[in-house]
Amino acid sequence: MDLGIKGKVALVIASSRGLGQAMAVSLAREGVKVAVTGRNPEGLQKSVEMIEAAGSQALALNWDLSDHSVIDALITKVETELGPIDILINNTGGPPPTPAAGQDPALWTKSFNDMVLSLISITDRVLPGMRERKWGRVITSTTSGAIAPIKNLAISNTLRAALLAWSKTLATEVAADGITVNIIMPGRVSTDRLRQLDEARAKREQTSYEEVVKASLRQIPMGRYGDPTEYGDAAAFLASQNASFITGTVTRIDGGQIQAI
């Protein structure tokens, strides 16, 4: 299927590994020029190589999301080297596992700054150009914990739920300008982050990593973890011309795990 986005420009935040990298590569396979960001030079280089192997053009940006002062300069660099940004994939790493009670307010503030305010600020920077061109895609990757809170991930559950409300509100404001705004939500997709969480759970519950995985698989109707490419391809479809009438939605890529309606 031709998704109708060949030649478009995408900015994929936090894309030096994991789901961000998978989304960047899926877009590249559709002929999208992709700017990738992160703080790990080796990971960024790997993303560039994967994008180029897919037949598209890449730009790597060393980008610390906690520093909002660099947003304008880095986006200007993308616009200069690749072109105006048509597709924005908002993505961040996760905060440390924590319970809800008793957390230092400074940790809440830092996490909000890095995971929420940074993405809102980046989106605000690219929206005027999208509106002027009457075409744009804003896709924000969150977590299933935003609608079905995950034990010991209180900060992630809370702040990513805020992104759902922001995205839904924004979708109504820009729809008439040809811009769609959607959320994608992973279930248990095989990434380094998921392995770290499973290992942390095993340690916390004094069991083995293998037993944690078995317990998780029993909760997934498909009986397996997702492949990052499956997640990336879902994002590419929502970025496509084919998805031009889909906005304000939450799309779960979870193998049927989340039971909430």
Side-chain angles (χ1 to χ4, degrees):
M1 179 186 294
D2 180 3
L3 297 184
I5 50 177
K6 184 176 182 179
K8 298 287 189 185
V9 174
L11 170 60
V12 184
I13 303 299
S15 45
S16 63
R17 62 179 182 172
L19 297 180
Q21 186 178 73
M23 291 186 284
V25 173
S26 289
L27 288 168
R29 288 202 304 268
E30 296 299 322
V32 176
K33 295 180 282 185
V34 186
V36 291
T37 84
R39 293 178 295 174
N40 182 295
E42 293 80 13
L44 283 174
Q45 181 58 35
K46 177 64 174 177
S47 293
V48 167
E49 291 171 359
M50 294 171 73
I51 290 165
E52 292 177 344
S56 196
Q57 184 177 350
L59 173 65
L61 301 169
N62 192 318
W63 192 331
D64 181 349
L65 291 177
S66 68
D67 185 358
H68 296 190
S69 70
V70 303
I71 290 173
D72 183 64
L74 289 173
I75 291 178
T76 297
K77 182 177 177 66
V78 177
E79 293 169 335
T80 300
E81 298 196 22
L82 297 183
I85 295 168
D86 305 295
I87 300 164
L88 172 63
I89 306 289
N90 283 321
N91 180 49
T92 67
T98 62
Q103 300 309 311
D104 188 336
L107 178 58
W108 283 102
T109 300
K110 181 181 187 308
S111 299
F112 179 81
N113 181 72
D114 296 354
M115 296 173 56
V116 179
L117 190 55
S118 60
L119 300 185
I120 292 173
S121 299
I122 292 166
T123 304
D124 283 345
R125 171 60 177 78
V126 303
L127 275 176
M130 291 180 177
R131 281 178 143 160
E132 183 179 343
R133 296 187 300 278
K134 296 295 181 182
W135 200 97
R137 302 287 186 264
V138 178
I139 300 167
T140 301
S141 179
T142 59
T143 173
S144 61
I147 59 173
I150 301 169
K151 184 178 180 180
N152 210 49
L153 289 180
I155 293 176
S156 176
N157 297 337
T158 303
L159 298 186
R160 284 170 166 156
L163 287 171
L164 267 65
W166 164 76
S167 182
K168 182 68 174 179
T169 306
L170 180 63
T172 65
E173 297 175 0
V174 300
D177 296 313
I179 302 168
T180 67
V181 183
N182 291 290
I183 291 283
I184 52 174
M185 181 177 289
R188 301 187 72 76
V189 180
S190 293
T191 61
D192 291 342
R193 165 75 171 171
L194 180 59
R195 184 176 182 90
Q196 290 166 4
L197 292 174
D198 282 349
E199 288 174 345
R201 179 182 168 188
K203 183 177 181 180
R204 189 170 64 250
E205 297 180 358
Q206 297 184 320
T207 187
S208 69
Y209 168 78
E210 290 74 19
E211 286 302 315
V212 167
V213 172
K214 287 180 182 178
S216 295
L217 294 180
R218 287 195 291 268
Q219 299 172 5
I220 304 171
M222 285 192 172
R224 65 177 177 87
Y225 283 177
D227 186 286
T229 299
E230 295 172 308
Y231 194 77
D233 288 350
F237 174 75
L238 286 174
S240 74
Q241 187 62 35
N242 307 60
S244 59
F245 201 57
I246 301 173
T247 196
T249 68
V250 176
T251 300
R252 307 169 188 176
I253 301 94
D254 68 347
Q257 178 184 1
I258 302 170
Q259 296 301 305
I261 296 173

